[in-house]
Amino acid sequence: VPMPYRNHFHSHIRMRVNEIEDYTSSVLSLRAEYQSDIRILLGYEAEYDAELFPEMMNEIQKYPLDYLIFGAHFIPNEYAGFYSGTPTDSEKDLAAYVENVIAGLCTGVYTYLAHPDLIHYLGPEDIYEKHMQKILDTANELHTPLEININGIFFHKAYPLRKFWEMAKQSGNQIVVGFDAHNPALFSDEDSIQKTEALIESLGLEILSEIPIRKPVL
């Protein structure tokens, strides 16, 4: 999602605010062209930065936005924090990640939480369980699904993390599967899809057959 960063900071991974109109026009044009073949929605994978959130929402809500996916990549943001996928044994970082995710979920604007197990914590398992259980409990309270991310398997990431999904199974969370297709080749990568299916089956997880789209309205 475009973030209204200050101090002339320019992200290398996301579009800029002044590109929203072109992106929107492109998606709506494709929606009209293929309306008889496929359902096309307008959305973003979005961060939650408490300081920038109101301005971010103000900018993207100027357009006919259908949904947001929550991905907590940078805590608290790209220029003043850490990347969640960086290996760490810091309980402080783990707690900061969990705090950010819970705050984002509580806004009520996100359809689901992408790769909730992105945080790459290498410390004691009981510490991991103590903090990550808070995400599971909050997601349940808010009826927000959690996403098993095929992209993590495709690129051999540390997620999906079996331990986390064992906890999600125990807690009865709603679960969806997402491609997170930074690379279009992922859609036809049978190996990644089969490995994801095998993980789901081995854990006995029930996957939602349809994702309830949550309109991102404050």
Side-chain angles (χ1 to χ4, degrees):
V1 75
M3 296 292 285
Y5 289 128
R6 294 153 194 163
N7 301 321
H8 307 290
F9 177 81
H10 294 299
S11 171
H12 70 284
I13 64 167
R14 64 185 76 249
M15 72 173 74
R16 298 184 184 182
V17 172
N18 62 9
E19 295 176 303
I20 296 176
E21 186 170 355
D22 284 346
Y23 169 69
T24 302
S25 296
S26 174
V27 173
L28 296 184
S29 175
L30 290 166
R31 174 188 290 177
E33 181 177 356
Y34 294 100
Q35 60 183 323
S36 62
D37 302 310
I38 188 172
R39 183 186 183 199
I40 295 179
L41 301 176
L42 176 65
Y44 298 98
E45 182 178 3
E47 307 285 332
Y48 175 75
D49 181 329
E51 180 182 354
L52 301 178
F53 179 76
E55 190 174 346
M56 178 195 84
M57 292 298 297
N58 180 61
E59 290 295 336
I60 62 179
Q61 285 183 312
K62 293 175 182 177
Y63 302 89
L65 189 64
D66 293 309
Y67 73 105
L68 293 174
I69 295 170
F70 184 15
H73 303 88
F74 299 95
I75 312 299
N77 52 49
E78 288 175 79
Y79 56 84
F82 65 92
Y83 173 61
S84 302
T86 301
T88 180
D89 61 1
S90 167
E91 184 177 359
K92 180 180 178 181
D93 286 352
L94 175 63
Y97 173 81
V98 170
E99 181 180 349
N100 176 272
V101 168
I102 289 175
L105 290 175
C106 287
T107 65
V109 304
Y110 300 100
T111 286
Y112 66 77
L113 175 59
H115 43 61
D117 46 346
L118 174 61
I119 184 71
H120 195 176
Y121 180 69
L122 301 176
E125 189 171 281
D126 62 327
I127 298 297
Y128 179 85
E129 292 177 358
K130 178 182 75 171
H131 289 281
M132 295 297 283
Q133 186 63 46
K134 298 174 186 177
I135 291 178
L136 299 173
D137 293 343
T138 302
N140 270 335
E141 291 168 11
L142 299 173
H143 306 289
T144 303
L146 307 175
E147 178 216 57
I148 292 181
N149 191 285
I150 299 178
N151 195 54
I153 290 177
F154 184 74
F155 285 109
H156 307 288
K157 303 285 189 179
Y159 63 92
L161 181 66
R162 187 177 187 88
K163 176 59 184 177
F164 178 84
W165 295 107
E166 289 174 346
M167 293 171 61
K169 166 70 173 179
Q170 182 68 29
S171 296
N173 288 88
Q174 294 181 320
I175 300 172
V176 299
V177 178
F179 275 93
D180 196 0
H182 293 242
N183 184 336
L186 180 55
F187 286 108
S188 59
D189 187 75
E190 290 294 333
D191 182 61
S192 297
I193 294 170
Q194 289 172 5
K195 286 178 179 177
T196 304
E197 291 173 341
L199 174 64
I200 291 168
E201 183 177 355
S202 70
L203 289 166
L205 300 178
E206 294 184 15
I207 306 299
L208 291 181
S209 59
E210 183 175 348
I211 300 173
I213 300 300
R214 181 173 292 172
K215 194 74 174 176
V217 178
L218 288 175

